[in-house]
Amino acid sequence: MKNTGSYIIQTVAPIFNKKGYSGTSLSDLTSATGLTKGAIYGNFVNKEQLAVEAFKYNVRLILKDISNSVNKADRAIDKLFAITNYYRGYYDITKSTGGCPILNVGNDTRHINPTLFRMVKRTAKILEQSIANIILGGVKSGEFKIQTDVYKLAKNIYSMIEGSVFMSITHDDRSYILTMTDHIESHINQHIRT
């Protein structure tokens, strides 16, 4: 039965990602789902709750793919390179989904929706911390130099990735991501790896 919360979220998540919180109208939602306003709001309290759930859904798709890649690797170096390899294909993913949900929602909601903006910040911190945990594991196992500034490196890697995603999407040019992922791997190999 299509009149369910999960159907609604799956259907409207790409719309919120492409049009943003403010740009997504009720008519966009009813048109995409084929449901009435009452049917949609029978499952969700308001547009904000629906937008929150759509953001969670979009992020879960990304995190699932990254986690699957990382979990296949045993060594810390391979886990980091699993992340850079995932992002090498991220341009094509974002082309079909309307962009990176973290960037899109972060830019869209900073001044108009504190709830969604806090979720973006929390998600970014989780991703950054996940990278830090991998690096820390590499330091402990002897794969990475003991003097590695784990948290600075994790922030730099995550910032470089998101920045290159922004530039690739802005200029419709995947080379920004490809160049940056190559740079990250080269830096790790030359300066961090033992």
Side-chain angles (χ1 to χ4, degrees):
M1 178 179 195
K2 75 178 191 176
N3 190 7
T4 65
S6 60
Y7 165 78
I8 294 169
I9 292 167
Q10 289 174 17
T11 305
V12 304
I15 297 167
F16 274 110
N17 196 43
K18 290 175 185 173
K19 292 190 164 193
Y21 176 76
S22 298
T24 301
S25 68
L26 182 58
S27 64
D28 291 327
L29 304 177
T30 57
S31 175
T33 60
L35 301 172
T36 65
K37 174 183 174 182
I40 291 172
Y41 289 133
N43 286 279
F44 300 94
V45 175
N46 54 29
K47 180 181 169 184
E48 181 178 62
Q49 184 194 17
L50 185 52
V52 164
E53 294 305 319
F55 174 71
K56 288 180 185 177
Y57 176 81
N58 285 328
V59 168
R60 270 195 307 271
L61 293 177
I62 295 169
L63 295 181
K64 179 183 172 191
D65 288 342
I66 294 173
S67 293
N68 286 341
S69 297
V70 168
N71 290 335
K72 290 177 185 172
D74 292 323
R75 299 180 315 148
I77 188 83
D78 297 328
K79 290 178 185 291
L80 286 180
F81 290 172
I83 294 170
T84 54
N85 284 330
Y86 170 80
Y87 277 101
R88 277 192 179 89
Y90 196 59
Y91 175 80
D92 293 323
I93 295 168
T94 61
K95 288 286 281 186
S96 64
T97 61
C100 174
I102 295 166
L103 287 173
N104 289 355
V105 176
N107 288 328
D108 180 53
T109 62
R110 179 173 177 85
H111 300 291
I112 61 167
N113 192 313
T115 301
L116 272 169
F117 187 66
R118 277 192 303 274
M119 290 185 70
V120 170
K121 285 175 60 175
R122 186 169 46 243
T123 302
K125 279 295 183 191
I126 288 168
L127 289 168
E128 188 179 292
Q129 184 61 51
S130 297
I131 294 169
N133 291 344
I134 293 169
I135 298 166
L136 186 58
V139 170
K140 288 180 179 177
S141 70
E143 289 180 63
F144 301 140
K145 294 177 182 175
I146 193 76
Q147 66 270 27
T148 301
D149 188 333
V150 171
Y151 296 101
K152 180 179 178 182
L153 180 59
K155 283 182 180 182
N156 287 344
I157 289 173
Y158 185 68
S159 297
M160 287 187 281
I161 287 171
E162 285 292 355
S164 69
V165 168
F166 171 79
M167 293 300 287
S168 286
I169 292 168
T170 300
H171 295 288
D172 197 19
D173 180 355
R174 71 172 39 88
S175 71
Y176 289 94
I177 294 175
L178 299 178
T179 301
M180 189 51 63
T181 50
D182 287 346
H183 172 74
I184 291 167
E185 289 183 0
S186 175
H187 179 77
I188 290 167
N189 279 325
Q190 293 177 19
H191 302 288
I192 308 302
R193 201 172 189 174
T194 54

PDB file of all heavy atoms in Angstrom, residues 18 42 56-57 63 100 104 127 130 143 149 152 157 162 166 193:
ATOM      1  N   LYS A  18      16.842  18.136  -4.102  1.00  0.00           N
ATOM      2  CA  LYS A  18      17.030  18.983  -5.277  1.00  0.00           C
ATOM      3  C   LYS A  18      16.529  20.407  -5.066  1.00  0.00           C
ATOM      4  O   LYS A  18      17.184  21.373  -5.452  1.00  0.00           O
ATOM      5  CB  LYS A  18      16.315  18.372  -6.493  1.00  0.00           C
ATOM      6  CG  LYS A  18      16.972  17.126  -7.006  1.00  0.00           C
ATOM      7  CD  LYS A  18      16.161  16.494  -8.129  1.00  0.00           C
ATOM      8  CE  LYS A  18      16.792  15.166  -8.534  1.00  0.00           C
ATOM      9  NZ  LYS A  18      15.971  14.436  -9.493  1.00  0.00           N
ATOM     10  N   GLY A  42      -1.195  13.016   7.408  1.00  0.00           N
ATOM     11  CA  GLY A  42      -1.675  11.966   8.297  1.00  0.00           C
ATOM     12  C   GLY A  42      -0.524  11.100   8.779  1.00  0.00           C
ATOM     13  O   GLY A  42      -0.626  10.412   9.789  1.00  0.00           O
ATOM     14  N   LYS A  56      17.363  12.351   6.644  1.00  0.00           N
ATOM     15  CA  LYS A  56      17.885  11.122   7.246  1.00  0.00           C
ATOM     16  C   LYS A  56      17.950  10.002   6.199  1.00  0.00           C
ATOM     17  O   LYS A  56      18.927   9.254   6.141  1.00  0.00           O
ATOM     18  CB  LYS A  56      17.009  10.675   8.410  1.00  0.00           C
ATOM     19  CG  LYS A  56      17.110  11.521   9.651  1.00  0.00           C
ATOM     20  CD  LYS A  56      16.173  10.939  10.702  1.00  0.00           C
ATOM     21  CE  LYS A  56      16.088  11.771  11.942  1.00  0.00           C
ATOM     22  NZ  LYS A  56      15.107  11.212  12.907  1.00  0.00           N
ATOM     23  N   TYR A  57      16.921   9.899   5.401  1.00  0.00           N
ATOM     24  CA  TYR A  57      16.868   8.865   4.369  1.00  0.00           C
ATOM     25  C   TYR A  57      18.001   9.059   3.360  1.00  0.00           C
ATOM     26  O   TYR A  57      18.716   8.110   3.022  1.00  0.00           O
ATOM     27  CB  TYR A  57      15.508   8.914   3.669  1.00  0.00           C
ATOM     28  CG  TYR A  57      15.380   7.956   2.510  1.00  0.00           C
ATOM     29  CD1 TYR A  57      15.079   6.613   2.723  1.00  0.00           C
ATOM     30  CD2 TYR A  57      15.565   8.396   1.202  1.00  0.00           C
ATOM     31  CE1 TYR A  57      14.968   5.734   1.666  1.00  0.00           C
ATOM     32  CE2 TYR A  57      15.458   7.516   0.136  1.00  0.00           C
ATOM     33  CZ  TYR A  57      15.157   6.192   0.373  1.00  0.00           C
ATOM     34  OH  TYR A  57      15.053   5.315  -0.676  1.00  0.00           O
ATOM     35  N   LEU A  63      25.685   6.783   3.713  1.00  0.00           N
ATOM     36  CA  LEU A  63      26.433   6.109   4.773  1.00  0.00           C
ATOM     37  C   LEU A  63      26.456   4.597   4.579  1.00  0.00           C
ATOM     38  O   LEU A  63      27.461   3.948   4.863  1.00  0.00           O
ATOM     39  CB  LEU A  63      25.855   6.462   6.142  1.00  0.00           C
ATOM     40  CG  LEU A  63      25.983   7.922   6.558  1.00  0.00           C
ATOM     41  CD1 LEU A  63      25.401   8.135   7.948  1.00  0.00           C
ATOM     42  CD2 LEU A  63      27.431   8.386   6.519  1.00  0.00           C
ATOM     43  N   CYS A 100      24.751  16.596  -3.179  1.00  0.00           N
ATOM     44  CA  CYS A 100      25.099  16.034  -1.871  1.00  0.00           C
ATOM     45  C   CYS A 100      24.104  16.543  -0.828  1.00  0.00           C
ATOM     46  O   CYS A 100      23.985  17.756  -0.636  1.00  0.00           O
ATOM     47  CB  CYS A 100      26.514  16.458  -1.501  1.00  0.00           C
ATOM     48  SG  CYS A 100      26.996  15.958   0.162  1.00  0.00           S
ATOM     49  N   ASN A 104      23.701  20.347   0.358  1.00  0.00           N
ATOM     50  CA  ASN A 104      22.437  20.984  -0.020  1.00  0.00           C
ATOM     51  C   ASN A 104      21.653  21.468   1.190  1.00  0.00           C
ATOM     52  O   ASN A 104      21.227  22.618   1.259  1.00  0.00           O
ATOM     53  CB  ASN A 104      21.569  20.021  -0.829  1.00  0.00           C
ATOM     54  CG  ASN A 104      22.095  19.759  -2.212  1.00  0.00           C
ATOM     55  OD1 ASN A 104      23.071  20.357  -2.647  1.00  0.00           O
ATOM     56  ND2 ASN A 104      21.457  18.852  -2.917  1.00  0.00           N
ATOM     57  N   LEU A 127      30.713  11.818  10.333  1.00  0.00           N
ATOM     58  CA  LEU A 127      31.589  11.401   9.229  1.00  0.00           C
ATOM     59  C   LEU A 127      33.050  11.742   9.527  1.00  0.00           C
ATOM     60  O   LEU A 127      33.950  10.928   9.310  1.00  0.00           O
ATOM     61  CB  LEU A 127      31.129  12.042   7.921  1.00  0.00           C
ATOM     62  CG  LEU A 127      29.818  11.491   7.371  1.00  0.00           C
ATOM     63  CD1 LEU A 127      29.286  12.370   6.256  1.00  0.00           C
ATOM     64  CD2 LEU A 127      29.993  10.061   6.896  1.00  0.00           C
ATOM     65  N   SER A 130      34.344   9.399  12.132  1.00  0.00           N
ATOM     66  CA  SER A 130      34.582   8.071  11.563  1.00  0.00           C
ATOM     67  C   SER A 130      35.942   8.003  10.878  1.00  0.00           C
ATOM     68  O   SER A 130      36.667   7.011  11.000  1.00  0.00           O
ATOM     69  CB  SER A 130      33.482   7.714  10.556  1.00  0.00           C
ATOM     70  OG  SER A 130      32.237   7.645  11.195  1.00  0.00           O
ATOM     71  N   GLU A 143      50.414   1.311  11.199  1.00  0.00           N
ATOM     72  CA  GLU A 143      50.329   1.624   9.761  1.00  0.00           C
ATOM     73  C   GLU A 143      50.645   3.097   9.501  1.00  0.00           C
ATOM     74  O   GLU A 143      51.163   3.440   8.447  1.00  0.00           O
ATOM     75  CB  GLU A 143      48.920   1.351   9.237  1.00  0.00           C
ATOM     76  CG  GLU A 143      48.547  -0.105   9.131  1.00  0.00           C
ATOM     77  CD  GLU A 143      47.134  -0.248   8.615  1.00  0.00           C
ATOM     78  OE1 GLU A 143      46.876   0.177   7.471  1.00  0.00           O
ATOM     79  OE2 GLU A 143      46.284  -0.776   9.362  1.00  0.00           O
ATOM     80  N   ASP A 149      48.694  13.865  13.594  1.00  0.00           N
ATOM     81  CA  ASP A 149      47.642  14.615  14.283  1.00  0.00           C
ATOM     82  C   ASP A 149      46.309  14.090  13.746  1.00  0.00           C
ATOM     83  O   ASP A 149      45.797  14.553  12.721  1.00  0.00           O
ATOM     84  CB  ASP A 149      47.797  16.113  14.020  1.00  0.00           C
ATOM     85  CG  ASP A 149      46.852  16.962  14.849  1.00  0.00           C
ATOM     86  OD1 ASP A 149      45.764  16.461  15.228  1.00  0.00           O
ATOM     87  OD2 ASP A 149      47.177  18.132  15.102  1.00  0.00           O
ATOM     88  N   LYS A 152      43.225  16.576  13.254  1.00  0.00           N
ATOM     89  CA  LYS A 152      43.500  17.572  12.218  1.00  0.00           C
ATOM     90  C   LYS A 152      43.445  16.917  10.838  1.00  0.00           C
ATOM     91  O   LYS A 152      42.859  17.470   9.903  1.00  0.00           O
ATOM     92  CB  LYS A 152      44.870  18.203  12.453  1.00  0.00           C
ATOM     93  CG  LYS A 152      45.252  19.254  11.422  1.00  0.00           C
ATOM     94  CD  LYS A 152      46.613  19.847  11.728  1.00  0.00           C
ATOM     95  CE  LYS A 152      47.033  20.853  10.676  1.00  0.00           C
ATOM     96  NZ  LYS A 152      48.368  21.389  10.936  1.00  0.00           N
ATOM     97  N   ILE A 157      40.825  15.885   5.652  1.00  0.00           N
ATOM     98  CA  ILE A 157      40.318  14.944   4.644  1.00  0.00           C
ATOM     99  C   ILE A 157      38.853  15.211   4.363  1.00  0.00           C
ATOM    100  O   ILE A 157      38.431  15.320   3.208  1.00  0.00           O
ATOM    101  CB  ILE A 157      40.547  13.478   5.091  1.00  0.00           C
ATOM    102  CG1 ILE A 157      42.039  13.128   5.038  1.00  0.00           C
ATOM    103  CG2 ILE A 157      39.727  12.508   4.236  1.00  0.00           C
ATOM    104  CD1 ILE A 157      42.382  11.774   5.623  1.00  0.00           C
ATOM    105  N   GLU A 162      34.449  17.324   0.911  1.00  0.00           N
ATOM    106  CA  GLU A 162      33.222  18.123   0.739  1.00  0.00           C
ATOM    107  C   GLU A 162      33.473  19.328  -0.162  1.00  0.00           C
ATOM    108  O   GLU A 162      32.623  19.679  -0.976  1.00  0.00           O
ATOM    109  CB  GLU A 162      32.654  18.564   2.091  1.00  0.00           C
ATOM    110  CG  GLU A 162      31.965  17.459   2.852  1.00  0.00           C
ATOM    111  CD  GLU A 162      30.674  16.951   2.229  1.00  0.00           C
ATOM    112  OE1 GLU A 162      30.199  17.507   1.217  1.00  0.00           O
ATOM    113  OE2 GLU A 162      30.141  15.968   2.754  1.00  0.00           O
ATOM    114  N   PHE A 166      31.573  20.094  -3.677  1.00  0.00           N
ATOM    115  CA  PHE A 166      30.936  21.386  -3.973  1.00  0.00           C
ATOM    116  C   PHE A 166      31.425  21.936  -5.313  1.00  0.00           C
ATOM    117  O   PHE A 166      30.636  22.363  -6.155  1.00  0.00           O
ATOM    118  CB  PHE A 166      31.223  22.389  -2.852  1.00  0.00           C
ATOM    119  CG  PHE A 166      30.780  23.783  -3.181  1.00  0.00           C
ATOM    120  CD1 PHE A 166      29.448  24.152  -3.068  1.00  0.00           C
ATOM    121  CD2 PHE A 166      31.699  24.734  -3.631  1.00  0.00           C
ATOM    122  CE1 PHE A 166      29.035  25.443  -3.394  1.00  0.00           C
ATOM    123  CE2 PHE A 166      31.300  26.016  -3.957  1.00  0.00           C
ATOM    124  CZ  PHE A 166      29.966  26.377  -3.836  1.00  0.00           C
ATOM    125  N   ARG A 193      51.795   7.407   6.170  1.00  0.00           N
ATOM    126  CA  ARG A 193      52.048   5.976   6.192  1.00  0.00           C
ATOM    127  C   ARG A 193      53.459   5.674   6.703  1.00  0.00           C
ATOM    128  O   ARG A 193      54.394   6.390   6.381  1.00  0.00           O
ATOM    129  CB  ARG A 193      51.899   5.440   4.765  1.00  0.00           C
ATOM    130  CG  ARG A 193      51.645   3.987   4.648  1.00  0.00           C
ATOM    131  CD  ARG A 193      51.326   3.629   3.214  1.00  0.00           C
ATOM    132  NE  ARG A 193      50.868   2.277   3.124  1.00  0.00           N
ATOM    133  CZ  ARG A 193      50.417   1.723   2.021  1.00  0.00           C
ATOM    134  NH1 ARG A 193      50.354   2.435   0.914  1.00  0.00           N
ATOM    135  NH2 ARG A 193      50.024   0.470   2.011  1.00  0.00           N
TER     136      ARG A 193
END
